[in-house]
Amino acid sequence: MTDIPTFATSQLSLLSAELQAELTETQLLTSTHAPSILQRAGLAVLNLHISSQRTGLGGKTVLELSLDPAVGGGELPEHGLRVGDIVGVAEQPRGAERKKEREGMESRGVEGVVTKVHRENVTVALDKEDADVPTGGKLWLVKLANDVTWKRLNQTMTKLQKMQPSEHSSLTQVLFGQSSPTPMSKDELNAKVKWHDPSLNDSQQDAIRFALASREVALIHGPPGTGKTHTLIELILQLLDRKQRILVCGPSNISVDNIVERLSPHKVPMVRLGHPARLLPGVLNHSLEVLTKTSEAAAIVQDIRGEMDAKQASIRKTRNGRERKAIYGEMRELRKEYRQREGRVVSDLLKQSKVVLSTLHGAGGFHLKNEQFDVVLVDEASQALEAQCWIPVLATGAPKLVLAGDHLQLPPTIKSLNVKEAKATPKKGANVDEVADGVAKVKVKNEEKSEKGKTKEDDIKLETTLFDRLLTLHGNKIKRMLTTQYRMHETIMEFPSCALYDSKLIAADAVKARLLKDLPGGDITETEDTTEPLIFFDTSASNGDFREKTEDNDESSGPKKKSSLLAESKVNEHEAALVALHVGNLVETGVKPEDIAVVTPYNGQLALLSQLLKERFVGIELGSVDGFQGREKEAVVVSLVRSNEEGEVGFLGEKRRLNGDSIPSPCSCRDADEVFLVAMTRPKRHLCVIGDSETVGR
Ligand SMILES: Nc1ncnc2c1ncn2[C@@H]1O[C@H](COP(=O)(O)OP(=O)(O)OP(=O)(O)O)[C@@H](O)[C@H]1O
């Protein structure tokens, strides 16, 4: 049994350490690196101007930023800004102002969210309604730490911490082991169900019956390719048949959109919450914001929007301070009116929806404040922090929770290494070595503490997902596993099935013998590569030809080293050449580059592979492991990189190694086993692993 206030208190301190780690990282990067380095690292874009300004959804000011004509305009340089990123828009610091400007986060201009990214411009929706948009001079965009997420997690855990025992629902009590899940009778578990999809396999049907019969909580364990989403769609339809109202959540927009897309053909009354700019185009018709615009009341809302646009334009033309102030005042009034009208339309739409879908984070927004649900369903639950899963649970007070996921895939990335307190946070402008040192010290302190005798609080870790914790708490009786997989050739499946899933996976007939040579529509030549599902190139016998190299991050060594700015990283040139050779062989047989993915754990190697492959094989997918999880490809080539005499595979050791010139990258945070296992479950017909068995084998 877990004490609820202790749990919440512990989560709050872990979350605070995590936020500090993230803020420290961003602050250090922006304060210790010149804007040009940040630009090269993909964290900033320089020399911009506002090419258009308008009022967007929710009455927010939306800026479109393009390259300043003074620098020749044209396409933006390569950058890593993505839709949803939080950015600062500010006047670009000049000369002596530069250091001061970059150190003071308060002088970074206005903040907003990236809503569109095109080759020639980036669109940003500003957070503050009356933000003073920077006007003169060249502007720059810089990526900022995202503390919005953490604020909501904090609110949620604070709410849990302060709840009185009498306020805990039966669900909450079960989730903390204060009571056991209500037992289900055999009749309930074997009840006859009228399936919408008669092709469901036995393990899928069993999981749905189980989730329908559960009173408080049910876990659906779906290993890769076992039709987890397929199963969830049927579960949603079955719940609707039983007149239940459902809130469906996932940790990312893409996880939620995936369900919206697959639910859409069933003509279910549903609404997707969330900023339209972050939703897949195919999902927009179900988005609350778009439905709001297309409903009857839309016309009056549009009128006000037009008026607001006109006012915005006049602000930009007005230099007189008093006039500007007056216009801001009028805009405020218009916004108020706009929101009231929009609010009424929104609330009507929500009331009519039997299924509401949002990210876990989004479920904490004001839209769901007075909405009631019978079931909260969380997909990709093992990719979410436990605190995230509590957002919909506490926001709706629903009596039942269904979690779907695979706890054996990579958990969410944690930056703070479970440092309990944020003691490692350096003072503003501290040098990076001090931070690394600080983290090390706090870690040692924690280790000392746990040796003396663990308390319950010490057992609570940020990376323990709710899925994991519930399995430990209640055991397999709250879980059903999907066992037939529809993705991998039987031989590719064997190793992950044995290593991770107790050899329980079965390959569906349609996939178990599929090879590259049988690719539909392709005249594929039969070669050793296209008739073998699994190939391992072992480089250990190469007398050291295939040794890894550590990239040197010396900025002064010129543009050749550009990629190394992203991280102190490892490369293995011979391995990269072998990857290129193998990909070349596959393409020669007729396999399309877009059916091939190359995966590696190091950014350095990724950059090298990108140089070798991207232009030669247009459409090939290159990725780190985090980015690749969850996606399937006909053929996957893995470059493990590590090869040294010491047999060292310390990926994790690099996680926090910040030194003056290096910028940490998420890609260097995973260890070899994880890389290997995740990559193993992605290919359908062919997997090729290149590595040094002596180094990696250890
Ligand atoms: N009962 C079934 N009969 C035939 N095909 C199925 C069945 N269930 C799932 N599939 C197929 O298996 C594939 C994987 O399904 P789905 O995308 O639902 O799985 P998933 O487990 O959510 O995938 P991921 O591993 O990407 O999370 C899809 O092509 C789907 O059509």
Side-chain angles (χ1 to χ4, degrees), residues 384-397:
L385 297 176
E386 165 149 6
Q388 280 176 295
C389 293
W390 279 97
I391 298 175
V393 173
L394 291 188
T396 64

Side-chain angles (χ1 to χ4, degrees), residues 245 271 273 288 345-354 356 366-368 371 373:
R245 191 171 187 229
V271 66
L273 304 181
L288 182 61
V345 182
V346 163
S347 131
D348 289 350
L349 278 166
L350 262 178
K351 292 267 170 299
Q352 296 154 15
S353 304
K354 294 287 168 229
V356 177
F366 66 93
H367 288 318
L368 295 186
E371 298 294 323
F373 293 91

